[in-house]
Amino acid sequence: MRKLLLLIVIAFGLFLSKPMWEDQIPESVNLSAVSDLSDRATAAFEGGSIQNAWESLLESMTDFIIEIDEIIQDAPELSTENETAAVERPDLTVPSEELFAIHNIELGQTKADVEAAAGQASRSSMNEFGVNWHAYHEQYQNFFMVSYNGENEVNGLFTNQDLISSSLPLEMGSTRDEVRAELGEPLSSIQKGFVRYELQDDGEYDLFSFDGAYVTVFYDQHENNTVTALQVVSEDLEDQRDALYAAPSAELEEGFKYQLFDVTNAARVMHGLDTLQWDEAVSETARKHSADMAENRFFSHDNLDGESPFDRMDADGIRYRVAGENLAYGQYSAIFAHEGLMNSLGHRENILKPEYGYLGVGVDFNTENQPFFTELFFNN
């Protein structure tokens, strides 16, 4: 009986110390408190009654918790691989020609203008308009994307960071009512060839046509319906897309997955979080689930064999301590998918979860060209 109680005490002490062992700790931390707790518990059981033993144990545990708290307070702050110094935001100026500018760049400016302001693009990848988004950022700070026409003139812009300037009293954080007061009623449909497509009206975004450009304003429904992102594309660029859903290709699949990864990291930076690292292995796990959903016409975290995201990660040998999955289906692009996920509370929590360190994205398309997006977040 005495040995059984001693084992219970030691197990309880180990349980209390477990959170420290799950996290990285400095080599200089002194964990003698654990040994001391075990010694004092043993002495208490050998020296008297059960009641006295429990009283001594409680006193020991209190001392142990105090010691652990002092260790944590005294330990040096740990750095992470993706921790970066703050980058100063550029001074935003009122656009000279267009209604909106992003990072002081307007439609019609040249690629040389963009590179003079932001340097070389970090990534170029195919988008739904059949051209490349060129992503500019400094470790996901001051993040924006630009597309160019055949003359290397800007014909598309996007950001989900505080880089928006306007000739109107509108900016990042403006309310939907303020946007509509300045720009009027948003479009309810858009013409593509001989087909008129009705646009969704769930309050996540507004589409406006203004002076030869299409302006999509995205709202954060968890931040009082305020502006959280902006996409501006020329009419020429929009008109060369003959349907809402682009024809699938290997280039578009790759573009969507990396664009979703990039805008996710840009959103984390805006919320004061560390960026995520790309993981190719878990991206393949995600791709297979997107392909499964597209081919077999279902939309669920569990596949038709009843396997969960964690089952699929286990089967692919992905080691993790914490993990989560986001799914999106039917959005026109990676940008629309991300903004929709940010307006869904559970998906938003995954995107903004501080404990995650890695992300992989998988994309596939059904026979109607609708994309299926799978995001797998994890840390080990």
Side-chain angles (χ1 to χ4, degrees):
M1 180 66 178
R2 190 173 291 176
K3 289 183 178 179
L4 176 61
L5 289 172
L6 178 58
L7 286 173
I8 293 172
V9 170
I10 294 173
F12 187 60
L14 292 173
F15 174 78
L16 284 178
S17 62
K18 182 174 180 251
M20 288 190 63
W21 296 347
E22 288 181 341
D23 294 331
Q24 182 184 2
I25 58 175
E27 292 181 358
S28 60
V29 168
N30 182 358
L31 295 181
S32 60
V34 177
S35 300
D36 182 60
L37 176 63
S38 176
D39 294 342
R40 291 167 68 176
T42 302
F45 276 107
E46 289 179 349
S49 68
I50 297 296
Q51 181 177 351
N52 291 337
W54 277 114
E55 289 175 355
S56 177
L57 174 62
L58 289 174
E59 179 182 352
S60 301
M61 286 168 55
T62 301
D63 293 343
F64 171 73
I65 292 170
I66 291 172
E67 287 187 56
I68 293 298
D69 184 59
E70 290 173 350
I71 289 170
I72 293 172
Q73 290 181 21
D74 292 340
E77 187 175 347
L78 298 176
S79 61
T80 59
E81 291 183 28
N82 50 6
E83 190 174 1
T84 58
V87 175
E88 186 176 352
R89 190 195 74 169
D91 292 330
L92 302 180
T93 59
V94 175
S96 60
E97 301 291 337
E98 301 292 327
L99 189 63
F100 289 99
I102 291 176
H103 200 284
N104 296 326
I105 302 299
E106 305 175 40
L107 294 183
Q109 288 188 251
T110 67
K111 187 174 184 179
D113 294 330
V114 176
E115 292 180 347
Q120 296 293 314
S122 298
R123 191 195 313 276
S124 296
S125 57
M126 179 70 70
N127 64 24
E128 69 276 18
F129 299 106
V131 298
N132 281 0
W133 278 128
H134 302 264
Y136 298 88
H137 58 87
E138 300 163 83
Q139 296 177 308
Y140 291 102
Q141 299 179 73
N142 294 332
F143 173 88
F144 68 110
M145 297 196 296
V146 181
S147 65
Y148 302 101
N149 62 19
E151 287 72 46
N152 276 331
E153 296 170 334
V154 175
N155 62 0
L157 290 160
F158 170 81
T159 190
N160 58 345
Q161 293 191 349
D162 188 13
L163 298 172
I164 301 168
S165 56
S166 176
S167 56
L168 299 172
L170 296 174
E171 59 186 355
M172 191 73 134
S174 295
T175 67
R176 184 172 57 199
D177 290 342
E178 290 170 340
V179 171
R180 292 183 176 182
E182 295 294 337
L183 299 180
E185 285 299 309
L187 299 177
S188 59
S189 62
I190 188 169
Q191 188 80 26
K192 292 291 179 185
F194 297 106
V195 180
R196 179 168 291 276
Y197 295 90
E198 295 295 320
L199 301 175
Q200 68 180 46
D201 186 22
D202 57 9
E204 290 188 356
Y205 70 89
D206 284 334
L207 176 64
F208 302 93
S209 178
F210 195 89
D211 281 354
Y214 284 98
V215 177
T216 307
V217 183
F218 297 93
Y219 303 107
D220 190 332
Q221 296 179 325
H222 297 285
E223 295 290 342
N224 301 315
N225 291 309
T226 52
V227 176
T228 190
L230 182 74
Q231 177 178 282
V232 183
V233 299
S234 69
E235 279 187 356
D236 290 341
L237 181 60
E238 180 63 63
D239 290 345
Q240 71 185 46
R241 182 172 60 144
D242 58 6
L244 284 184
Y245 295 107
S249 67
E251 293 79 12
L252 186 62
E253 176 189 335
E254 182 173 277
F256 276 178
K257 74 179 185 180
Y258 285 122
Q259 289 154 26
L260 188 52
F261 175 76
D262 286 344
V263 297
T264 296
N265 269 334
R268 285 177 65 91
V269 167
M270 275 295 289
H271 287 81
L273 300 171
D274 288 336
T275 57
L276 303 172
Q277 297 180 52
W278 178 262
D279 187 272
E280 189 61 37
V282 85
S283 176
E284 176 60 16
T285 304
R287 186 202 62 78
K288 289 187 293 186
H289 188 56
S290 287
D292 188 17
M293 291 189 293
E295 180 180 353
N296 293 297
R297 295 183 173 274
F298 73 96
F299 183 66
S300 173
H301 292 289
D302 290 346
N303 64 21
L304 298 182
D305 294 326
E307 296 171 328
S308 72
F310 313 109
D311 294 328
R312 296 190 293 272
M313 291 175 72
D314 290 341
D316 286 347
I318 309 298
R319 296 172 60 90
Y320 60 91
R321 180 173 56 86
V322 58
E325 180 179 82
N326 281 353
L327 302 178
Y329 153 65
Q331 289 82 2
Y332 316 133
S333 71
I335 289 171
F336 278 82
H338 169 75
E339 297 302 329
L341 290 168
M342 284 293 286
N343 277 320
S344 173
L345 190 57
H347 299 105
R348 181 191 185 95
E349 288 175 352
N350 270 340
I351 292 168
L352 301 180
K353 194 177 184 70
E355 289 81 3
Y356 291 143
Y358 301 90
L359 170 61
V361 179
V363 180
D364 208 333
F365 304 84
N366 64 14
T367 54
E368 288 78 39
N369 297 345
Q370 296 168 321
F372 286 74
F373 299 89
T374 301
E375 295 179 313
L376 281 173
F377 304 83
F378 74 101
N379 214 345
N380 48 30

